[in-house]
Amino acid sequence: MKAVWGLLSLVVVLAVVGVLAQKSWRSSQESLARQTRSLPAGHNQASEAANVRDQSQQIQQQYRQQLESAINAPRPMPDAQ
């Protein structure tokens, strides 16, 4: 009997999570649709994508430089006692 209640409660929890995920997905899709419709007629999405790509490459380059400087930094030697 205990296993039946456990299984039943698991099914109920999964159903609730499914409903909440579906509502979240729909609201995000509706929000995206509203944003797309509100773009001005002359809005160039290609230039926006290029800006995002440039920013991403710049962040990657900064990360590489910081990682290389951290790897190549000399480690302090412990004092011999």
Side-chain angles (χ1 to χ4, degrees):
M1 188 67 182
K2 200 180 223 185
V4 172
W5 285 111
L7 187 59
L8 183 62
S9 64
L10 180 62
V11 169
V12 169
V13 168
L14 287 175
V16 169
V17 169
V19 169
L20 292 175
Q22 187 178 23
K23 284 183 180 182
S24 175
W25 175 261
R26 284 183 182 165
S27 67
S28 66
Q29 292 299 317
E30 290 171 359
S31 173
L32 182 61
R34 271 184 267 132
Q35 289 174 357
T36 305
R37 278 183 266 148
S38 66
L39 291 175
H43 185 75
N44 188 359
Q45 290 180 349
S47 66
E48 194 171 295
N51 289 340
V52 171
R53 188 180 317 112
D54 292 341
Q55 288 175 349
S56 173
Q57 289 174 350
Q58 183 181 11
I59 291 170
Q60 290 174 10
Q61 184 63 27
Q62 289 173 351
Y63 180 78
R64 269 192 215 105
Q65 289 172 348
Q66 291 176 355
L67 185 62
E68 287 175 0
S69 67
I71 290 173
N72 295 329
R75 294 190 320 188
M77 297 300 289
D79 294 333
Q81 294 182 11

